[in-house]
Amino acid sequence: MREFQGIGASEGVVFGPARVWHKQNLVVTRRQCAPEEVAGELQRLDAALAMTRAELLDVRGQLASRLGEDHAAILDAQLLILEDETVLSATRESIRHERCSAEAAFARSMAHALMPLDLQGDTVFRERLIDFRDLEQRVLRALQGGADSALELSEPCVLVAPVLTPSETAALDRHRVLGFCVDEGGPTSHTAILARSLGVPAVVGLRELSNAIQDGCELVVDGTTGLVIADPTAAVIKRSQARSERWRRMGERLQEMRDQPAITPDGHVVELAANAEVPFEIELAMETGAQGIGLLRTEYFYFKQGRIPSEEEQFAAYRDVLSRARGETVIFRVLDVGGDKFITGKGGLREANPQLGMRGIRFLLSNAEVLYTQLRSLYRASAFGPVRIMFPMITGLEELRAANDLTRRCRDDLQREGKRFEPDLDVGIMVETPSAVAMARELAAECAFFSIGTNDLTQYILAVDRTNWRVAHLHRPHHPAVLRAIAETISAGHSRGIPVRLCGEMGANPANAILLMGLGIDGISTHAAAIPALKKVIRTITYAQAKAWAQEALSLSTADDVREFLRSKTQQSLRGVLDRRA
């Protein structure tokens, strides 16, 4: 029996035989054409682009019919690249002037276009690189006369692969795929999103699993904990099957939580909202009973366009978001990228350490016209639903004041132009840097709310890159240093009379949620699938109990001590409440 630890991307437990799929990528060798071959190479390129577009449109149609238009829109970014004049012009110039073969010219143009994504930095953008590599391979196969070959499955299995693209995931026979195990990717990858939507348990980030096992190897896949067990013993299989059945029954019971308030037995209310990136996640969040969207990542709307979208394009997109939220509040985080991983024409540079470079509010203030346009779009959209705005990666008052000045200018301009908008929107900040924690009282005096971003805050406090598998196990939000920073931030916000919420994976864990409630958090925003379980727990544990937990946890000295404390308390207090996690 062998165990492999990855990242749980889609919850559930399954058991079945592995089907290992190593898709062969085409490697291009540079070939120079004779002058008389140039016209033919240009024609080959156009034919290959047309063939690839037809393939993607076919897959998109299948996805739309199975899961709806919102899911099908995942493929739009790939289709847009086929029309990107930057890539296509560079490809044609290489063919004409350097007499490169169509394959070599296209591969080089794609490499240049994708370089900003292929860097250490934001996980979301590195995962999107997988989608575009898929497009590149499709065009290269078309140039060599072959269409994309879908994986054929003859019996139910656990699919194991180094990587799965959205188009490959969409084309799979849902009735024969018990679960996914993927070497690459993270919980925000399009494949992970599709797996959750399909209801298929999935584990990603397994690194070398596809090379470590063979076809037919029996696997237990736990999409909740991220654990994959190869060649399990009979006892492990029996336990896994029992967990799978408990999971199914608990899921049915948790559906009853949808319309229940998140209120403790002694009357304390916690706001439970959902994080979202792509539009269809908003509707999924509403189905789970989320109280609005506590973090709407707007990067998707820029990434989908492959350029800075216009004010009108953003306005339309944000109106669409609000319509999907069914009257609930949406907190829009303005564009949170680093210049190295977005648009080089806006000052992006390849940085040695982009996590400490031009990201978040630094990028926006250096490109004020980008922030100004987004703010105008958000204020205009506020006429169609409740909106809040927050700024990312604030480190001090200078940044907050500069952003607030731009916000006031935006309001003044819209009012002078006679545009419809809500002038009194709450504008807050993400607290995700140690300096923001240290300056929390001063910052709270000049904004309407705090949202603690535990993913980055933990990373910066503990000096741990959560995307680096060598040290990712040290990224522990229950570390005493992180807990004390959270407690300090909550205290600072409340002392100035502003609400303090938390967004991040920390809040998805029921034990952590109790701890956060005890520290005084006003709301938790996390992935939608976690909300029913969080409601169940909050309705089980009293606020007095939660405060006692929090005070004891704050007195502990190590992350292991806190983890063991939470484990013991959870076993005592939540036995029978969330059996499927046992």
Side-chain angles (χ1 to χ4, degrees):
M1 188 172 78
R2 295 168 291 165
E3 294 186 356
F4 301 86
Q5 185 63 55
I7 301 167
S10 181
E11 294 184 324
V13 180
V14 293
F15 167 73
R19 171 66 166 89
V20 183
W21 187 36
H22 285 283
K23 187 174 181 178
Q24 295 299 314
N25 284 334
L26 297 175
V27 178
V28 175
T29 56
R30 184 179 176 85
R31 180 177 67 85
Q32 194 165 33
C33 304
E36 61 272 18
E37 294 180 292
V38 168
E41 291 299 302
L42 291 170
Q43 291 175 357
R44 288 180 63 233
L45 174 66
D46 290 340
L49 294 172
M51 179 184 291
T52 303
R53 180 176 179 79
E55 281 182 5
L56 286 173
L57 286 173
D58 181 57
V59 175
R60 193 188 190 286
Q62 295 175 36
L63 193 55
S65 65
R66 292 172 63 194
L67 295 176
E69 177 63 25
D70 292 331
H71 292 70
I74 281 176
L75 297 179
D76 286 350
Q78 290 173 293
L79 286 163
L80 285 168
I81 288 290
L82 290 175
E83 301 171 2
D84 190 310
E85 279 305 313
T86 303
V87 173
L88 300 184
S89 294
T91 303
R92 292 187 176 104
E93 287 299 303
S94 295
I95 294 172
R96 290 190 185 103
H97 299 297
E98 300 178 43
R99 302 208 310 273
C100 291
S101 68
E103 290 91 339
F106 182 75
R108 186 170 69 175
S109 296
M110 284 292 287
H112 288 164
L114 300 182
M115 185 180 295
L117 302 180
D118 197 10
L119 301 168
Q120 289 295 318
D122 191 280
T123 309
V124 171
F125 284 84
R126 291 209 306 278
E127 288 167 353
R128 297 301 180 262
L129 186 66
I130 295 171
D131 303 350
F132 293 141
R133 294 297 184 207
D134 172 47
L135 172 68
E136 178 187 45
Q137 287 293 309
R138 284 178 177 273
V139 174
L140 293 177
R141 281 194 296 272
L143 281 166
Q144 297 189 4
D148 185 42
S149 56
L151 174 65
E152 294 185 1
L153 303 175
S154 58
E155 59 183 14
C157 64
V158 174
L159 184 58
V160 179
V163 64
L164 278 176
T165 67
S167 58
E168 290 164 352
T169 308
L172 293 169
D173 183 344
R174 166 66 182 89
H175 301 291
R176 291 182 176 175
V177 178
L178 303 173
F180 295 130
C181 293
V182 185
D183 293 347
E184 298 186 32
T188 60
S189 65
H190 280 154
T191 297
I193 293 169
L194 284 174
R196 289 193 288 271
S197 300
L198 291 165
V200 177
V203 178
V204 299
L206 286 159
R207 299 194 296 276
E208 293 295 331
L209 178 68
S210 65
N211 292 321
I213 64 171
Q214 296 179 337
D215 271 351
C217 175
E218 297 292 337
L219 295 179
V220 170
V221 180
D222 190 330
T224 307
T225 65
L227 181 65
V228 176
I229 302 175
D231 300 316
T233 64
V236 169
I237 294 172
K238 185 176 180 180
R239 286 199 302 270
S240 299
Q241 290 172 333
R243 280 201 64 204
S244 181
E245 178 59 21
R246 285 199 300 271
W247 182 275
R248 186 191 63 78
R249 290 198 306 267
M250 180 59 70
E252 292 175 352
R253 291 200 296 271
L254 287 177
Q255 286 303 311
E256 302 170 3
M257 291 291 104
R258 172 182 165 177
D259 299 320
Q260 298 296 320
I263 183 170
T264 64
D266 51 355
H268 182 75
V269 177
V270 179
E271 179 186 293
L272 290 182
N275 298 339
E277 178 187 3
V278 294
F280 73 78
E281 290 181 291
I282 299 166
E283 294 171 349
L284 293 176
M286 297 303 101
E287 292 299 322
T288 66
Q291 297 172 272
I293 303 299
L295 170 63
L296 194 285
R297 303 178 179 96
T298 59
E299 294 79 48
Y300 170 78
F301 302 103
Y302 292 76
F303 191 90
K304 179 181 175 182
Q305 297 287 349
R307 57 177 171 78
I308 299 290
S310 69
E311 179 181 328
E312 293 303 322
E313 288 172 324
Q314 292 187 61
F315 171 55
Y318 302 151
R319 278 188 64 180
D320 177 59
V321 165
L322 292 169
S323 70
R324 294 169 188 266
R326 306 175 189 176
E328 298 283 356
T329 298
V330 178
I331 301 179
F332 290 84
R333 184 182 69 188
V334 296
L335 183 63
D336 183 15
V337 297
D340 65 296
K341 55 186 181 296
F342 191 56
I343 295 179
T344 55
K346 290 296 178 183
L349 298 172
R350 183 161 186 155
E351 297 177 306
N353 193 340
Q355 293 289 357
L356 304 180
M358 285 292 289
R359 63 169 300 198
I361 197 66
R362 293 173 182 168
F363 173 84
L364 291 173
L365 293 178
S366 296
N367 297 275
E369 74 282 4
V370 175
L371 177 56
Y372 176 76
T373 299
Q374 185 172 27
L375 289 172
R376 282 181 60 95
S377 305
L378 288 169
Y379 269 99
R380 288 176 60 195
S382 69
F384 299 89
V387 168
R388 294 182 185 133
I389 297 172
M390 64 181 171
F391 299 120
M393 299 304 297
I394 294 288
T395 62
L397 279 171
E398 296 89 350
E399 292 167 341
L400 177 57
R401 287 171 177 168
N404 282 339
D405 286 345
L406 201 61
T407 303
R408 282 189 287 270
R409 178 188 140 199
C410 173
R411 290 199 304 265
D412 292 344
D413 290 348
L414 289 172
Q415 194 165 29
R416 186 168 51 254
E417 296 166 18
K419 300 288 188 183
R420 287 181 59 202
F421 72 100
E422 170 55 56
D424 298 321
L425 298 186
D426 284 346
V427 179
I429 68 168
M430 295 283 291
V431 176
E432 49 195 338
T433 65
S435 62
V437 174
M439 296 294 295
R441 276 176 167 73
E442 290 82 356
L443 291 167
E446 301 189 27
C447 67
F449 63 89
F450 282 163
S451 185
I452 303 173
T454 54
N455 294 348
D456 271 320
L457 183 61
T458 302
Q459 174 171 257
Y460 287 124
I461 287 178
L462 301 181
V464 170
D465 179 358
R466 56 195 167 95
T467 69
N468 182 341
W469 65 268
R470 293 180 178 86
V471 297
H473 65 285
L474 300 175
H475 187 274
R476 295 180 285 186
H478 56 270
H479 190 288
V482 179
L483 294 182
R484 293 170 193 177
I486 292 171
E488 184 177 341
T489 302
I490 294 170
S491 175
H494 289 173
S495 73
R496 296 288 189 174
I498 68 170
V500 182
R501 305 177 184 88
L502 179 142
C503 58
E505 291 306 304
M506 178 184 186
N509 180 287
N512 288 343
I514 297 170
L515 186 58
L516 292 166
M517 182 170 70
L519 291 174
I521 205 74
D522 296 299
I524 296 171
S525 184
T526 187
H527 63 266
I531 289 175
L534 294 182
K535 279 190 179 183
K536 182 71 173 177
V537 167
I538 289 169
R539 292 174 62 84
T540 301
I541 301 293
T542 67
Y543 185 42
Q545 284 177 289
K547 288 193 289 187
W549 279 35
Q551 288 307 306
E552 188 168 352
L554 286 174
S555 70
L556 301 175
S557 302
T558 71
D560 288 341
D561 289 343
V562 176
R563 181 184 61 190
E564 179 58 29
F565 168 75
L566 290 177
R567 187 192 65 79
S568 63
K569 286 293 185 183
T570 301
Q571 287 184 343
Q572 294 170 20
S573 304
L574 300 181
R575 188 180 303 277
V577 176
L578 296 174
D579 288 337
R580 68 178 184 176
R581 295 177 183 271

